[in-house]
Amino acid sequence: RVIATDIDKKALKELKTAAQKKNLDNIVTVLTKANETGLPVGGCDIIFMGLVYHHIQDKVNFLRKLKMNLKPGGRIVNLDNHMDLILYKGTGKRPPAKSCRYSKLKFLKEAKAAGLLIKRDIQILKMQYLLELIPSMARR
């Protein structure tokens, strides 16, 4: 089962429509408020944040909430745009606006403050970082 959360009702409606067209019946959409996860406590194996973390206001508390949504052995995966403009050079792609980029080091510092440890730094993307995190009390 996939739980897709968003604060944008229209985005969730588009997702639901796309899922229905592909006969995907395992996707549940949840409209949530800013800085709320919309996820069940202790109910998630993997929480994936794709290009959203930079929009979160109370980042450390949000990560703490996400940690509470994990099942034992669960993990959080964050994908976001690098801050460093040099990484976009020569790609032919325009860098995202500064408000849509976030420092990897700053993210890791906030994750640590929320009680999360980096499990893997998956370096397959030039302009984005992909990090897998686990609660600090979990075994690595």
Side-chain angles (χ1 to χ4, degrees):
R1 182 172 77 144
V2 174
I3 303 170
T5 66
D6 206 309
I7 61 170
D8 184 348
K9 196 176 201 175
K10 183 180 174 190
L12 290 174
K13 186 177 180 184
E14 290 171 2
L15 174 64
K16 197 175 240 182
T17 300
Q20 288 170 343
K21 285 181 183 177
K22 294 182 180 197
N23 294 318
L24 300 173
D25 59 359
N26 65 330
I27 299 174
V28 176
T29 58
V30 177
L31 182 65
T32 189
K33 296 178 182 176
N35 291 314
E36 293 300 324
T37 70
L39 299 169
V41 173
C44 301
D45 295 305
I46 299 171
I47 298 172
F48 175 73
M49 295 187 293
L51 303 174
V52 297
Y53 187 76
H54 54 262
H55 293 295
I56 305 297
Q57 292 174 10
D58 191 357
K59 292 174 173 39
V60 174
N61 281 330
F62 188 76
L63 288 173
R64 285 183 182 128
K65 289 176 187 179
L66 287 180
K67 188 171 73 166
M68 291 174 48
N69 297 130
L70 292 173
K71 288 181 180 177
R75 58 196 187 272
I76 297 169
V77 178
N78 183 42
L79 170 73
D80 218 328
N81 296 309
H82 279 291
M83 284 298 292
D84 192 350
L85 291 176
I86 197 76
L87 298 172
Y88 298 86
K89 199 168 187 132
T91 64
K93 296 188 180 192
R94 207 169 124 196
K98 188 174 183 178
S99 63
C100 293
R101 292 180 277 135
Y102 203 75
S103 162
K104 179 178 169 181
L105 293 176
K106 194 170 180 182
F107 171 77
L108 288 171
K109 182 179 178 184
E110 292 163 351
K112 183 177 180 181
L116 295 163
L117 296 173
I118 185 167
K119 182 175 181 183
R120 283 195 303 165
D121 183 346
I122 306 163
Q123 298 181 15
I124 57 172
L125 305 166
K126 180 176 180 169
M127 299 169 291
Q128 297 165 325
Y129 55 89
L130 185 62
L131 299 167
E132 182 180 354
L133 306 161
I134 56 173
S136 58
M137 295 174 284
R139 292 182 189 164
R140 294 202 278 169

